Amino acid sequence: MANPIESKTARDRLKPRREPYWARVEAGLFVGYRKAEQGEGTWIARRRTEEGKQVYRALGTFTDYDDAAKATRRWAESIDAGVSHKGMTVAQACEHYVTDLGMRKGTGSKKDAEGRFRRLIYGKKIGGIDLSALKTSHIKSWLAAQIESDEEDAEDEDDLRRAKDSANRNLASLKAALNLALNDRLVATDAGWKTVSKFGDVGRRRERFLPAEQRVKLLKACPEDLSHLVSAMLLTAARPGELASAAVQHFNWEQGTLALEGKTGYRIVTLSSSAMTFFAERARGKIGNAPLLANAYGQRWNKDLWKKPFKAAVKAAQLPPDVVMYSLRHTAISEMIAGGMDSFVVARLAGTSTEMIDKHYGHLRHDRTRAKLDAVALL
């Protein structure tokens, strides 16, 4: 007597076992349910080939029998259309693509793709997913993970742009590999990746600005050592790495300046009166080569030391999760421009170009100018 698997009630009464409980879908085609000891059971498709050989396909989990039966029919139809019935994972599809690249475009293109897949696909979770089970959500999660840490470590707009640009190139390589698998009939459909699009304008400015109320909440949520670094960024619009590298000797109280060195070279920035007082407190009792800003253990800050505490402070302050260290620099520059400071001066202070300031913050200057024009009675 056959074991019914069409209803959930019937499946719940089945005994767990390795061998699936089978139900006939049509002549020569079966769908099986493997009852697990715990958790959801899984579904398997089985078909007899013209040569009389049984072939199988793991279908994954389904809530309803009808959905499992439909998946079984789609699998059988793909075989009839010439698609290989042998399962291929994402990693295997990438290896297939690399081999094809070597034949068509030479060793240079092959090495580039192979290095990319080695970093991002081989040995990773996405690499082990069967092409027939690949979902759009898998690709989107893989893509987002590439920029997640880069966003947290970003020190300026260029870092974010480069991270997204790099992720776009990685997506293009992966989709090329998956499309080749589709063309070579190793998978029946491109539904799992066709609609995944690259990041848009990679030069687009970040929108996350921290108003005064949120800045206060963040500072209160930070431990004392981290609050000093956060305050320094808001007071100077400098990159966190530049401030982490600054020593006591780089602060000049008499001139009210701070010397910084970073990705755009060496510069001396003018400090506000409040910033002078702040850095004077940080320099008190320290020798010239000592870090001007240090953590609770006297160490110079770096992204590995500030990353987790800053993320915890953002959460504790109940701020949006996309607030990262760069948000502080973005906020400081925005306030400077909105306050009426000249783009050239802000660019010099922040260690960037006037072109970048005009491109990403010019709207703030126009808003201020418009407010002044509105105050003038022209007609």
Side-chain angles (χ1 to χ4, degrees), residues 281-299:
E281 287 294 322
R282 306 287 77 75
R284 191 186 306 277
K286 297 179 181 178
I287 60 174
N289 286 326
L292 187 58
L293 298 164
N295 69 2
Y297 301 99
Q299 300 170 301

Side-chain angles (χ1 to χ4, degrees), residues 199-219:
F199 291 107
D201 180 9
V202 293
R204 180 169 57 90
R205 62 182 173 86
R206 284 184 64 85
E207 298 294 338
R208 182 56 60 195
F209 168 84
L210 300 182
E213 181 182 355
Q214 290 187 343
R215 301 199 291 265
V216 171
K217 288 182 178 180
L218 177 61
L219 287 168

Side-chain angles (χ1 to χ4, degrees), residues 39-259:
E40 292 185 88
T42 56
W43 297 85
I44 301 94
R46 187 185 81 196
R47 185 189 186 190
R48 184 180 298 278
T49 65
E50 293 179 357
E51 296 79 16
K53 182 180 179 181
Q54 296 281 5
V55 292
Y56 300 82
R57 164 70 72 178
L59 300 175
T61 58
F62 291 97
T63 302
D64 299 322
Y65 168 82
D66 288 343
D67 292 334
K70 287 178 183 178
T72 299
R73 290 190 179 93
R74 285 197 299 268
W75 171 66
E77 290 168 0
S78 71
I79 294 177
D80 292 337
V83 177
S84 172
H85 62 78
K86 297 179 180 179
M88 171 173 274
T89 65
V90 172
Q92 290 171 331
C94 291
E95 291 170 349
H96 177 69
Y97 175 70
V98 167
T99 300
D100 183 75
L101 267 183
M103 293 187 295
R104 292 187 298 105
K105 295 189 176 181
T107 57
S109 297
K110 178 181 178 181
K111 286 183 178 179
D112 178 73
E114 193 167 34
R116 201 181 299 271
F117 295 146
R118 188 177 294 113
R119 293 193 310 274
L120 300 167
I121 302 294
Y122 302 157
K124 303 296 190 295
K125 183 178 179 180
I126 192 172
I129 298 175
D130 193 285
L131 291 184
S132 63
L134 186 63
K135 299 178 181 178
T136 299
S137 58
H138 294 142
I139 305 292
K140 287 184 175 180
S141 296
W142 172 80
L143 188 63
Q146 294 177 52
I147 67 163
E148 196 171 81
S149 60
D150 291 299
E151 282 192 313
E152 292 176 350
D153 298 339
E155 297 195 353
D156 60 19
E157 192 74 29
D158 284 340
D159 288 342
L160 295 169
R161 179 190 59 77
R162 282 192 291 269
K164 291 182 178 180
D165 189 40
S166 177
N168 284 345
R169 291 195 299 273
N170 296 333
L171 176 64
S173 292
L174 176 59
K175 291 182 77 170
L178 298 176
N179 286 332
L180 178 64
L182 179 69
N183 292 338
D184 289 351
R185 294 189 174 277
L186 300 173
V187 63
T189 175
D190 59 357
W193 66 88
K194 184 177 181 179
T195 59
V196 180
S197 57
K198 64 181 182 180
F199 291 107
D201 180 9
V202 293
R204 180 169 57 90
R205 62 182 173 86
R206 284 184 64 85
E207 298 294 338
R208 182 56 60 195
F209 168 84
L210 300 182
E213 181 182 355
Q214 290 187 343
R215 301 199 291 265
V216 171
K217 288 182 178 180
L218 177 61
L219 287 168
K220 286 182 178 179
C222 288
E224 184 179 8
D225 54 353
L226 182 61
S227 72
H228 292 161
L229 180 60
V230 170
S231 296
M233 289 189 67
L234 291 171
L235 288 168
T236 63
R239 302 175 179 88
E242 295 172 336
L243 292 167
S245 299
V248 171
Q249 63 187 356
H250 296 139
F251 169 59
N252 188 316
W253 168 261
E254 287 75 19
Q255 294 185 9
T257 61
L258 180 64

Side-chain angles (χ1 to χ4, degrees), residues 2-19:
N3 292 292
I5 60 174
E6 287 85 355
S7 71
K8 185 178 186 305
T9 301
R11 293 194 299 273
D12 288 342
R13 288 198 293 262
L14 297 174
K15 292 182 179 181
R17 71 181 194 187
R18 177 65 182 171
E19 173 62 23

